[in-house]
Amino acid sequence: MKMSHKTILLAALVGLATATGSRLSAADAIPTLEIQAGQATNQVSPILFGLMTEEINYAYEGGLYGELIRNRSFKADAVVPSVKPETYEAGKYLPVSYRPDTKPRFWTAVGGAPIVLDPSNPLNEFLNVSLKLDASAASATSPVGIANGGFWGIPVKPKTTYQVSFFAKASSGFTGPVTVSLESADGTTNYASATITGVTSEWKKFETTLKTKRVTASKENVFKLTTKTPGTLWLQNVSLFPPTYKNRANGNRVDLMELMADMKPKFLRFPGGNYLEGNAFNQRFNWKETIGPVEQRPGHPSCWGYWSTDGMGLLEFAEWCEDLGMEPVLGVFAGYCLGNGGKIEAGPKLEPYVQEALEEIEYLTGDARTTKWGARRAQDGHAKPFPLRYIEVGNEDWFDRSGSYEGRFAQFFDAIKAKYPHLKVISSMGHEQRPEVWVKSRLPDVVDEHFYRNQQDMEVNFNQYDKRSRSTNESKVFVGEWATRVGSPTPNMAGALGDAAWMCGMERNSDLIIMECFAPLFVNVSQLTGNGRSMQWESDLIGYDALNSYGSPSYYVETMFAQNCGTVIVPVKAEGIPTVEQTTRAGRRGGTAATRKVSSIYYSATRDSKGTIYLKVVNVAEAPQQVCVNVTGVKSVSGKGEVITLSADTVDDTNLLKDPVKLVPVSEKIRGLDTRFAWTLPKFSFTIIKLHTR
Ligand code: AHR
């Protein structure tokens, strides 16, 4: 743990030294933050801090979703047509095809056995292919089979039980057995193995466990399925699961769930993002194809360039919410796909998609005995309905320049309100877009606004929402995607400072901004460049490989905010804040490198029902700055408080997989506080001061 900064506390302003920052232009001014506790009237949104997620950067496949086998259903090589809406029948599953003689991706042959995709021996209509293993050369001394290296490795941990399952059938006369094992990739170590008998000429599911002994954790490993018996084997849905969070079957990776739990998220926006829309009508997130037994889920190509098994389906998203105490914020497909994927204008042809959305809501919330889709949810293993209040219609529909969203939104809005009047409907046409494209025929309960910016743009927009109308005929705001895109694969301290300044602006306005979430949430950092890379989008909150994970400095900013927030917004009057000359690093979406003067300090304050005030202050200057904190409208401030600080020596400092906790918040108890006191903010820092007031 790094050393915390030294602080200077004074009971009064008299005698305060000036800030030492040599680059500060207003060198003689002592910045003052007056916390106007007597004027706190607006409520902090109780669901302000949340998460946004989609299948990007191997977020579920090779990420949160526990499955360790890559391409378990052998569909990564599927040839998927791009079907236009005019010829697509909503609700009808479209089978995919395969090129002849294809070797399944991410699988290798053991013992030189020929392996090939075999569409003529499918498991079912959804997993309409199998891996055919020609084991004719197998013998007692020369086993043959298949091996899978997982998503850039398979994590082997000590004293751990792994669940293995697969479907198999064999040529008649095959007597088996089959061996499954976890081995080091170089073949020198066998960590665990198990034997399966009873493979016949009919498809059957097999299950077993692999238990490791006291071994050193590693990821350079493979899963193998081999036989010493000659014959032909067909395999499908070959699966290997480690222990999951709360031991859920088909569940989630523990370390990533724990990182999220620390963020105390109140909601999860899912399933996207662009992932909701897909590149074509048959490639969108089609929720009905993501429920039920995993071997009945066809999967689909993510618009981010790789195959999704949809093991992380609608029910799994909802259970993820349940496990972390979040409420779902459900994005429903709104009849528009990305790029040339096409769209359906409002009217009768859109109606099947509106019904699909209503059924999706029923699947999550319907009574298990009295509704069709509630009963289906119960059959899938979750009788209790999920809480649901917010539905978002589409995603970033401003990508569709035709103006069709007005009508499409209205049709969804009316149908949702008619059946579920209590639900709040979110428009994906945020008011960060030109007013001409805003939805006008209906008043969306909430509008979703997205901001991907560089550090400077985040800082100069700190006041963006201060002047926004609060009138009752205005929609509330959901900042459903935002990030300071500086640092790769995850943001560095420059990104974290931009985020902290921007979050101060959102928190100060959280009577209007009811929800916010950084995006994207996850990145698998195993292969950052080249063909088949694991990252499609830079500057993501949490990074990981097959074995380890870490939070970026931005992750810690988010965590600090969510863990230290009151229930009412306390106005802060700032005086004498110096500017600082800042050279922008170009952001990833536009923005060229430029030098300009920006405020050096950003701030926000909230108070909880016990009188604790949480003062948040960001110092973007390259030097420590002393501020005077003046608390008005309270009888007293306890001398004892707490300070939590995240700071760095340079803005390029960051956390990485190999150095995961270089920058973490440091907490310390402090004394000598009063209604007026001075505090020295470290250079490049985000500080939270907790004051106990009466
Ligand atoms: O967060 C990455 C992408 O950015 C999302 O999928 C999309 O909604 C936005 O354009």
Side-chain angles (χ1 to χ4, degrees):
M1 198 68 112
K2 68 181 192 163
M3 290 295 291
S4 64
H5 64 282
K6 293 283 174 248
T7 56
I8 307 163
L9 288 175
L10 296 177
L13 258 179
V14 184
L16 276 181
T18 53
T20 55
S22 53
R23 297 216 179 157
L24 302 176
S25 60
D28 295 324
I30 299 168
T32 300
L33 298 176
E34 183 191 340
I35 303 177
Q36 301 175 321
Q39 295 178 41
T41 48
N42 286 331
Q43 301 290 312
V44 175
S45 167
I47 54 165
L48 180 59
F49 305 109
L51 304 176
M52 188 273 168
T53 180
E54 66 178 315
E55 183 60 274
I56 183 174
N57 300 325
Y58 289 82
Y60 318 138
E61 305 279 327
L64 181 64
Y65 179 52
E67 178 62 75
L68 298 178
I69 299 295
R70 191 166 186 188
N71 193 17
R72 72 178 178 198
S73 61
F74 314 121
K75 291 190 75 173
D77 295 284
V79 178
V80 187
S82 289
V83 181
K84 293 284 178 212
E86 302 76 37
T87 53
Y88 177 80
E89 191 182 325
K92 185 165 179 234
Y93 172 59
L94 274 181
V96 295
S97 60
Y98 306 87
R99 290 187 187 87
D101 303 323
T102 303
K103 278 199 175 170
R105 229 177 266 207
F106 311 120
W107 289 92
T108 52
V110 175
I115 58 173
V116 71
L117 286 185
D118 185 358
S120 60
N121 278 289
L123 177 66
N124 57 41
E125 65 172 308
F126 305 112
L127 301 190
N128 62 345
V129 71
S130 58
L131 180 150
K132 181 179 172 188
L133 166 68
D134 176 354
S136 51
S139 70
T141 51
S142 302
V144 301
I146 54 172
N148 189 283
F151 295 89
W152 297 274
I154 290 192
V156 167
K157 294 183 182 169
K159 292 190 158 278
T160 302
T161 302
Y162 296 80
Q163 308 291 330
V164 177
S165 65
F166 60 91
F167 288 80
K169 69 172 190 171
S171 49
S172 58
F174 180 81
T175 53
V178 165
T179 301
V180 290
S181 58
L182 268 177
E183 297 179 23
S184 61
D186 63 9
T188 58
T189 313
N190 184 321
Y191 294 106
S193 60
T195 301
I196 301 276
T197 54
V199 181
T200 67
S201 54
E202 297 297 321
W203 279 113
K204 228 167 41 175
K205 185 175 183 182
F206 298 89
E207 290 176 277
T208 188
T209 54
L210 292 174
K211 289 182 195 158
T212 59
K213 299 206 169 69
R214 202 168 283 172
V215 296
T216 306
S218 63
K219 66 178 172 58
E220 289 75 26
N221 307 304
V222 293
F223 169 83
K224 280 187 186 169
L225 188 153
T226 55
T227 183
K228 293 177 176 172
T229 312
T232 304
L233 280 168
W234 288 270
L235 299 153
Q236 185 44 279
N237 216 61
V238 182
S239 171
L240 174 72
F241 261 81
T244 58
Y245 192 70
K246 297 197 173 174
N247 294 318
R248 275 209 191 266
N250 201 41
N252 291 336
R253 189 170 148 169
V254 176
D255 56 341
L256 297 180
M257 289 294 275
E258 286 174 347
L259 277 166
M260 288 186 281
D262 282 348
M263 294 174 72
K264 304 219 169 303
K266 292 291 193 298
F267 68 87
L268 178 71
R269 175 178 176 237
F270 67 84
N274 293 160
Y275 181 62
L276 168 69
E277 305 158 283
N279 288 325
F281 269 63
N282 58 324
Q283 297 178 26
R284 68 204 162 92
F285 181 85
N286 187 352
W287 74 268
K288 285 184 189 168
E289 292 179 1
T290 74
I291 58 173
V294 291
E295 66 273 13
Q296 301 283 333
R297 303 182 194 182
H300 75 287
S302 160
C303 64
W304 294 103
Y306 55 93
W307 188 262
S308 168
T309 60
D310 287 329
M312 175 69 83
L314 180 59
L315 183 62
E316 286 76 18
F317 279 115
E319 288 178 339
W320 170 6
C321 290
E322 186 170 75
D323 285 350
L324 294 185
M326 307 182 284
E327 64 180 276
V329 173
L330 177 68
V332 295
F333 178 71
Y336 168 75
C337 290
L338 296 165
N340 294 322
K343 64 167 177 293
I344 297 186
E345 301 278 353
K349 289 197 173 142
L350 189 62
E351 208 42 38
Y353 298 94
V354 174
Q355 289 311 314
E356 204 179 77
L358 295 178
E359 290 169 339
E360 188 172 10
I361 295 167
E362 186 175 290
Y363 182 85
L364 290 178
T365 64
D367 182 82
R369 281 165 306 170
T370 57
T371 67
K372 174 182 168 191
W373 289 101
R376 176 61 203 267
R377 185 195 62 243
Q379 184 193 323
D380 291 343
H382 201 287
K384 196 173 162 208
F386 294 97
L388 181 69
R389 291 189 295 165
Y390 292 93
I391 307 294
E392 179 158 1
V393 178
N395 172 64
E396 292 189 345
D397 280 81
W398 36 268
F399 266 112
D400 166 31
R401 309 240 166 231
S402 73
S404 73
Y405 190 64
E406 179 73 52
R408 288 188 288 116
F409 178 81
Q411 197 168 335
F412 277 86
F413 182 93
D414 292 350
I416 294 169
K417 290 284 183 183
K419 185 153 187 206
Y420 301 103
H422 64 285
L423 290 183
K424 304 276 183 216
V425 182
I426 304 171
S427 159
S428 84
M429 196 68 82
H431 289 191
E432 85 283 30
Q433 304 299 323
R434 299 170 290 125
E436 305 84 73
V437 300
W438 299 355
V439 168
K440 296 188 188 67
S441 64
R442 305 290 183 279
L443 178 65
D445 296 299
V446 185
V447 289
D448 181 1
E449 309 193 344
H450 294 180
F451 303 97
Y452 291 106
R453 292 169 164 160
N454 61 34
Q455 182 192 351
Q456 221 177 68
D457 286 340
M458 281 304 197
E459 291 162 3
V460 298
N461 283 294
F462 162 69
N463 290 322
Q464 179 174 329
Y465 284 101
D466 290 5
K467 297 266 172 330
R468 181 94 156 237
S469 162
R470 261 65 172 172
S471 98
T472 48
N473 60 358
E474 296 281 348
S475 306
K476 294 282 188 188
V477 176
F478 172 27
V479 185
E481 287 182 34
W482 66 268
T484 309
R485 297 194 69 199
V486 188
S488 177
T490 48
N492 56 21
M493 193 61 188
L497 291 170
D499 288 352
W502 174 247
M503 286 191 81
C504 281
M506 290 197 288
E507 188 183 76
R508 284 151 43 90
N509 285 281
S510 64
D511 56 316
L512 173 72
I513 299 174
I514 58 165
M515 297 182 280
E516 67 76 25
C517 43
F518 184 105
L521 177 60
F522 289 132
V523 60
N524 186 319
V525 299
S526 299
Q527 187 192 329
L528 298 180
T529 55
N531 272 346
R533 58 187 169 272
S534 59
M535 176 176 73
Q536 288 77 48
W537 183 282
E538 294 168 279
S539 305
D540 310 292
L541 208 58
I542 293 172
Y544 47 85
D545 66 5
L547 195 59
N548 296 307
S549 54
Y550 70 99
S552 64
S554 292
Y555 162 84
Y556 287 108
V557 166
E558 289 261 345
T559 306
M560 287 165 74
F561 263 90
Q563 289 183 358
N564 299 282
C565 189
T567 49
V568 290
I569 303 161
V570 182
V572 178
K573 189 171 155 205
E575 279 179 344
I577 304 286
T579 56
V580 65
E581 269 206 351
Q582 198 177 59
T583 301
T584 318
R585 286 115 208 285
R588 312 227 172 263
R589 252 197 201 172
T592 44
T595 300
R596 48 178 168 166
K597 281 188 176 176
V598 297
S599 174
S600 60
I601 289 178
Y602 304 86
Y603 46 83
S604 170
T606 57
R607 187 184 59 201
D608 68 17
S609 56
K610 292 185 184 147
T612 301
I613 289 178
Y614 303 84
L615 172 65
K616 299 180 173 106
V617 195
V618 187
N619 175 20
V620 301
E622 198 181 353
Q625 289 203 74
Q626 199 171 54
V627 290
C628 167
V629 179
N630 185 16
V631 190
T632 59
V634 295
K635 277 196 210 140
S636 64
V637 172
S638 164
K640 292 181 185 170
E642 191 186 341
V643 67
I644 308 160
T645 313
L646 178 73
S647 64
D649 286 339
T650 79
V651 286
D652 295 320
D653 280 359
T654 196
N655 294 338
L656 294 168
L657 208 51
K658 61 178 190 304
D659 195 1
V661 288
K662 179 174 176 148
L663 302 181
V664 292
V666 175
S667 300
E668 58 186 320
K669 301 275 180 226
I670 50 175
R671 290 171 175 276
L673 300 174
D674 206 334
T675 50
R676 284 161 77 87
F677 64 94
W679 190 261
T680 300
L681 305 167
K683 74 176 192 178
F684 300 139
S685 65
F686 173 47
T687 302
I688 300 179
I689 305 175
K690 279 164 77 170
L691 307 167
H692 304 295
T693 70
R694 284 199 206 191

